Amino acid sequence: MEAESSTSGVPGAGQVPGVLGALDSLTSAIVAADRGIAQLQAGRELLLAMAVELSHGLIDDTGPGVPADEGLWEARAVELAERSVAAEIATATRTSDRAIQHQMGAAVELVERFPATLQAFSQGRISAAHVRVIRDAGTVIEDPAARARYEAA
């Protein structure tokens, strides 16, 4: 009589190499999906930063009947233009305008102050969660060289 394998009664036991190969393929597909999601999210960050720049194009430098050197008018005009653009995006995306304003500000900070992080995000090497942690912890670093070293680490 032949010896019976100890796994002969276990369903699928004879197919372990096939299951492991399928798991490897599945894992690779999930990693690729996560990379694609990160790349799309990075693209969205760039679009939000572009929205801020676009809003500045809506501003008439002097405003109606206000002297060109009036700093208060300029600051208010910038705020109103950004709020207007945020409201437009918020309506289209069914999001609150305040949430979009916050996202626009965070996007500008990412683009201007954390370029290496944005590059890694755009390449799908890090996730949105990584970006938040890097940005939140690095915001207090004012020196650009020190911030660049922080990003590299």
Side-chain angles (χ1 to χ4, degrees), residues 59-63 66-80:
I59 302 167
D60 178 15
D61 291 332
T62 59
V66 178
D69 61 351
E70 184 67 46
L72 183 60
W73 164 255
E74 186 176 336
R76 184 74 175 142
V78 168
E79 178 188 353
L80 290 174

Side-chain angles (χ1 to χ4, degrees), residues 64-101:
V66 178
D69 61 351
E70 184 67 46
L72 183 60
W73 164 255
E74 186 176 336
R76 184 74 175 142
V78 168
E79 178 188 353
L80 290 174
E82 288 179 6
R83 287 175 64 184
S84 177
V85 169
E88 184 72 23
I89 294 168
T91 301
T93 61
R94 297 176 304 278
T95 308
S96 78
D97 59 331
R98 294 291 183 182
I100 295 296
Q101 282 178 282

Side-chain angles (χ1 to χ4, degrees), residues 77-151:
V78 168
E79 178 188 353
L80 290 174
E82 288 179 6
R83 287 175 64 184
S84 177
V85 169
E88 184 72 23
I89 294 168
T91 301
T93 61
R94 297 176 304 278
T95 308
S96 78
D97 59 331
R98 294 291 183 182
I100 295 296
Q101 282 178 282
H102 175 75
Q103 291 170 17
M104 288 167 59
V108 167
E109 183 178 32
L110 179 63
V111 168
E112 292 179 354
R113 300 187 74 210
F114 298 94
T117 300
L118 177 60
Q119 182 177 14
F121 195 25
S122 296
Q123 293 168 348
R125 294 187 291 121
I126 60 175
S127 70
H130 292 112
V131 172
R132 271 191 304 279
V133 170
I134 292 167
R135 185 175 40 212
D136 290 350
T139 297
V140 297
I141 305 171
E142 291 300 325
D143 178 47
R147 197 169 44 252
R149 287 191 304 275
Y150 161 76
E151 278 189 286

